[in-house]
Amino acid sequence: ISSGVVGERRVFQAMQQLKERYPDMIVLENFHFEYGEKKPDSKRPTSECDMLILTCGGIYCVEVKNYGENANYIIEIEETGKWNKRYGEQLHPIDDLPFRQNETHITTLNLEFSELFKSMTNDGSELKITPLVVVPNATTIDNHSKNPEHIVLNINGLCKYITEEAKIYSMDKVRKVAETLAKRGDPASE
Protein backbone atom coordinates (compact mmCIF):
# COMPACT_ATOMS: atom_id res chain seq x y z
CA ILE A 1 0.00 0.00 0.00
CA SER A 2 2.77 2.46 0.90
CA SER A 3 4.52 2.02 -2.47
CA GLY A 4 1.15 2.67 -4.14
CA VAL A 5 0.72 5.92 -2.22
CA VAL A 6 4.30 6.94 -3.08
CA GLY A 7 3.61 6.24 -6.75
CA GLU A 8 0.36 8.21 -6.75
CA ARG A 9 2.08 11.19 -5.09
CA ARG A 10 4.88 11.06 -7.66
CA VAL A 11 2.42 11.11 -10.57
CA PHE A 12 0.36 13.89 -8.97
CA GLN A 13 3.50 16.01 -8.45
CA ALA A 14 4.47 15.49 -12.09
CA MET A 15 0.99 16.63 -13.15
CA GLN A 16 1.28 19.72 -10.93
CA GLN A 17 4.58 20.58 -12.64
CA LEU A 18 2.99 20.00 -16.04
CA LYS A 19 0.19 22.40 -15.05
CA GLU A 20 2.80 25.16 -14.85
CA ARG A 21 3.26 24.82 -18.64
CA TYR A 22 -0.40 23.92 -19.35
CA PRO A 23 -2.42 25.89 -16.78
CA ASP A 24 -5.75 24.89 -18.36
CA MET A 25 -5.21 21.26 -17.38
CA ILE A 26 -7.35 20.22 -14.40
CA VAL A 27 -6.27 17.34 -12.16
CA LEU A 28 -8.59 15.70 -9.63
CA GLU A 29 -6.57 13.42 -7.38
CA ASN A 30 -8.24 10.45 -5.65
CA PHE A 31 -11.59 11.37 -7.14
CA HIS A 32 -14.17 9.57 -5.01
CA PHE A 33 -17.82 9.59 -6.05
CA GLU A 34 -21.13 7.80 -5.52
CA TYR A 35 -23.02 6.22 -8.40
CA GLY A 36 -26.10 4.16 -9.16
CA GLU A 37 -29.14 3.64 -7.02
CA LYS A 38 -29.20 3.69 -3.25
CA LYS A 39 -30.27 0.33 -1.92
CA PRO A 40 -32.67 0.14 1.05
CA ASP A 41 -30.82 0.44 4.36
CA SER A 42 -27.49 1.19 2.68
CA LYS A 43 -25.51 3.88 0.94
CA ARG A 44 -24.98 4.27 -2.78
CA PRO A 45 -21.99 2.35 -4.15
CA THR A 46 -18.77 4.34 -4.50
CA SER A 47 -15.81 4.39 -6.84
CA GLU A 48 -12.43 6.11 -6.64
CA CYS A 49 -10.21 7.07 -9.55
CA ASP A 50 -6.55 7.57 -8.66
CA MET A 51 -6.62 10.60 -10.89
CA LEU A 52 -8.93 12.30 -13.38
CA ILE A 53 -7.21 14.66 -15.78
CA LEU A 54 -9.38 17.05 -17.79
CA THR A 55 -7.96 18.89 -20.78
CA CYS A 56 -9.14 20.30 -24.09
CA GLY A 57 -8.02 16.94 -25.51
CA GLY A 58 -10.39 14.96 -23.30
CA ILE A 59 -10.78 13.27 -19.94
CA TYR A 60 -8.21 10.73 -18.79
CA CYS A 61 -8.89 8.22 -16.04
CA VAL A 62 -5.49 7.35 -14.58
CA GLU A 63 -4.81 4.21 -12.55
CA VAL A 64 -1.37 4.34 -10.90
CA LYS A 65 0.45 1.05 -10.24
CA ASN A 66 3.69 1.05 -8.30
CA TYR A 67 4.84 -2.48 -7.54
CA GLY A 68 7.89 -1.40 -5.56
CA GLU A 69 10.73 1.01 -5.96
CA ASN A 70 13.21 -1.72 -6.88
CA ALA A 71 13.26 -1.58 -10.66
CA ASN A 72 15.08 -4.91 -11.07
CA TYR A 73 11.98 -6.40 -12.61
CA ILE A 74 9.95 -6.01 -15.78
CA ILE A 75 6.19 -5.55 -15.94
CA GLU A 76 5.08 -7.99 -18.62
CA ILE A 77 1.54 -7.71 -19.94
CA GLU A 78 0.17 -10.69 -21.82
CA GLU A 79 -2.00 -10.44 -24.96
CA THR A 80 -5.05 -11.01 -22.73
CA GLY A 81 -4.17 -8.02 -20.52
CA LYS A 82 -2.94 -10.13 -17.59
CA TRP A 83 -0.01 -8.55 -15.72
CA ASN A 84 3.13 -10.32 -14.48
CA LYS A 85 6.28 -9.22 -12.72
CA ARG A 86 9.38 -10.80 -14.32
CA TYR A 87 12.66 -11.27 -12.45
CA GLY A 88 15.04 -12.81 -14.99
CA GLU A 89 13.36 -16.08 -15.94
CA GLN A 90 10.93 -16.05 -12.98
CA LEU A 91 7.43 -14.86 -13.71
CA HIS A 92 5.16 -13.76 -10.83
CA PRO A 93 1.48 -13.05 -11.62
CA ILE A 94 0.06 -9.76 -10.40
CA ASP A 95 -3.35 -10.39 -8.89
CA ASP A 96 -5.01 -7.02 -9.39
CA LEU A 97 -5.93 -6.18 -12.94
CA PRO A 98 -5.28 -2.47 -13.61
CA PHE A 99 -7.13 -2.49 -16.93
CA ARG A 100 -10.24 -3.96 -15.32
CA GLN A 101 -10.03 -1.45 -12.46
CA ASN A 102 -9.96 1.42 -14.95
CA GLU A 103 -12.83 -0.08 -16.97
CA THR A 104 -14.88 -0.19 -13.77
CA HIS A 105 -14.03 3.43 -12.94
CA ILE A 106 -14.99 4.59 -16.43
CA THR A 107 -18.22 2.60 -16.44
CA THR A 108 -19.26 4.11 -13.12
CA LEU A 109 -18.21 7.62 -14.20
CA ASN A 110 -20.37 7.28 -17.30
CA LEU A 111 -23.23 5.87 -15.26
CA GLU A 112 -23.23 8.83 -12.90
CA PHE A 113 -22.07 11.68 -15.12
CA SER A 114 -23.07 10.82 -18.72
CA GLU A 115 -25.31 13.89 -19.15
CA LEU A 116 -22.59 16.14 -17.77
CA PHE A 117 -20.02 14.62 -20.13
CA LYS A 118 -22.36 15.06 -23.10
CA SER A 119 -22.48 18.78 -22.29
CA MET A 120 -18.76 18.91 -23.00
CA THR A 121 -19.22 17.86 -26.62
CA ASN A 122 -20.56 20.25 -29.25
CA ASP A 123 -23.23 17.86 -30.51
CA GLY A 124 -24.25 16.16 -27.24
CA SER A 125 -22.57 12.91 -28.25
CA GLU A 126 -20.96 10.51 -25.82
CA LEU A 127 -17.62 11.68 -24.47
CA LYS A 128 -14.83 9.16 -24.52
CA ILE A 129 -12.89 8.85 -21.29
CA THR A 130 -9.43 7.50 -22.05
CA PRO A 131 -8.13 4.87 -19.62
CA LEU A 132 -4.43 5.19 -18.80
CA VAL A 133 -2.32 3.07 -16.45
CA VAL A 134 0.84 4.73 -15.15
CA VAL A 135 3.83 2.90 -13.67
CA PRO A 136 5.70 5.73 -11.88
CA ASN A 137 9.14 4.20 -11.50
CA ALA A 138 11.93 3.20 -13.89
CA THR A 139 10.52 -0.28 -14.46
CA THR A 140 10.54 -1.59 -18.02
CA ILE A 141 7.04 -2.21 -19.38
CA ASP A 142 6.64 -5.00 -21.95
CA ASN A 143 3.04 -4.61 -23.14
CA HIS A 144 1.75 -7.35 -25.50
CA SER A 145 -1.96 -6.63 -24.99
CA LYS A 146 -3.99 -6.71 -28.18
CA ASN A 147 -6.50 -4.20 -26.80
CA PRO A 148 -5.72 -0.67 -28.06
CA GLU A 149 -7.20 0.77 -24.85
CA HIS A 150 -4.62 -1.04 -22.73
CA ILE A 151 -2.27 1.93 -22.57
CA VAL A 152 0.52 1.74 -20.00
CA LEU A 153 2.92 4.65 -19.58
CA ASN A 154 5.63 5.92 -17.29
CA ILE A 155 5.39 9.49 -15.96
CA ASN A 156 7.19 11.07 -18.91
CA GLY A 157 5.01 9.11 -21.32
CA LEU A 158 1.90 10.33 -19.50
CA CYS A 159 2.98 13.96 -19.78
CA LYS A 160 3.72 13.56 -23.48
CA TYR A 161 0.49 11.63 -24.19
CA ILE A 162 -1.71 14.26 -22.55
CA THR A 163 -0.05 17.28 -24.12
CA GLU A 164 0.01 15.85 -27.66
CA GLU A 165 -3.70 15.07 -27.86
CA ALA A 166 -5.76 17.20 -30.24
CA LYS A 167 -7.63 20.06 -28.64
CA ILE A 168 -11.23 19.09 -29.34
CA TYR A 169 -13.13 20.61 -26.39
CA SER A 170 -13.45 24.24 -25.37
CA MET A 171 -11.74 25.13 -22.10
CA ASP A 172 -14.95 26.77 -20.86
CA LYS A 173 -16.78 23.45 -21.17
CA VAL A 174 -13.89 21.57 -19.57
CA ARG A 175 -13.94 23.96 -16.59
CA LYS A 176 -17.72 23.61 -16.18
CA VAL A 177 -17.45 19.83 -16.20
CA ALA A 178 -14.57 19.95 -13.70
CA GLU A 179 -16.52 22.28 -11.39
CA THR A 180 -19.55 20.02 -11.45
CA LEU A 181 -17.43 16.93 -10.82
CA ALA A 182 -15.72 18.65 -7.89
CA LYS A 183 -19.11 19.56 -6.38
CA ARG A 184 -20.63 16.10 -6.91
CA GLY A 185 -17.57 14.05 -6.02
CA ASP A 186 -15.19 14.18 -3.15
CA PRO A 187 -11.84 14.96 -4.79
CA ALA A 188 -8.83 15.20 -2.48
CA SER A 189 -7.47 18.18 -4.38
CA GLU A 190 -7.75 20.08 -7.61
Side-chain angles (χ1 to χ4, degrees):
I1 292 175
S2 65
S3 67
V5 171
V6 167
E8 288 176 20
R9 292 302 313 153
R10 192 176 292 143
V11 174
F12 183 71
Q13 289 168 350
M15 292 300 97
Q16 292 303 100
Q17 289 174 353
L18 190 63
K19 277 184 63 129
E20 291 173 13
R21 288 189 317 192
Y22 300 94
D24 288 338
M25 182 174 73
I26 299 166
V27 180
L28 302 176
E29 181 185 27
N30 297 321
F31 184 72
H32 182 267
F33 62 97
E34 295 179 332
Y35 66 94
E37 297 295 319
K38 180 181 177 194
K39 306 221 183 328
D41 301 324
S42 69
K43 296 180 179 180
R44 292 173 70 194
T46 62
S47 186
E48 181 183 345
C49 305
D50 288 344
M51 200 169 300
L52 274 181
I53 301 171
L54 295 89
T55 71
C56 291
I59 296 179
Y60 306 92
C61 183
V62 178
E63 181 67 30
V64 179
K65 289 299 174 189
N66 188 10
Y67 295 107
E69 294 303 303
N70 176 357
N72 293 331
Y73 61 87
I74 295 172
I75 296 291
E76 186 176 284
I77 304 165
E78 298 175 8
E79 288 183 8
T80 62
K82 184 175 178 344
W83 286 47
N84 298 293
K85 216 173 172 182
R86 179 178 289 284
Y87 296 93
E89 294 301 313
Q90 293 183 331
L91 197 63
H92 300 278
I94 296 175
D95 292 331
D96 61 346
L97 299 171
F99 299 132
R100 188 171 298 148
Q101 284 177 297
N102 241 359
E103 288 168 11
T104 300
H105 297 321
I106 290 170
T107 299
T108 56
L109 280 165
N110 282 323
L111 178 66
E112 190 60 27
F113 300 108
S114 65
E115 291 305 312
L116 174 65
F117 294 149
K118 285 178 185 178
S119 73
M120 198 168 154
T121 63
N122 290 332
D123 61 359
S125 61
E126 293 292 324
L127 173 76
K128 180 176 179 348
I129 301 172
T130 303
L132 302 173
V133 178
V134 177
V135 178
N137 57 28
T139 301
T140 300
I141 303 163
D142 190 11
N143 188 353
H144 297 279
S145 175
K146 297 295 186 190
N147 186 331
E149 290 196 350
H150 287 177
I151 302 168
V152 184
L153 307 162
N154 59 26
I155 292 174
N156 290 337
L158 173 64
C159 294
K160 185 177 179 183
Y161 188 91
I162 288 171
T163 58
E164 289 184 353
E165 288 295 299
K167 308 300 182 227
I168 56 177
Y169 304 111
S170 78
M171 201 56 227
D172 287 338
K173 288 184 179 184
V174 172
R175 279 192 198 100
K176 287 177 185 172
V177 167
E179 288 170 8
T180 304
L181 286 171
K183 288 176 188 171
R184 293 269 315 276
D186 183 25
S189 60
E190 191 174 324

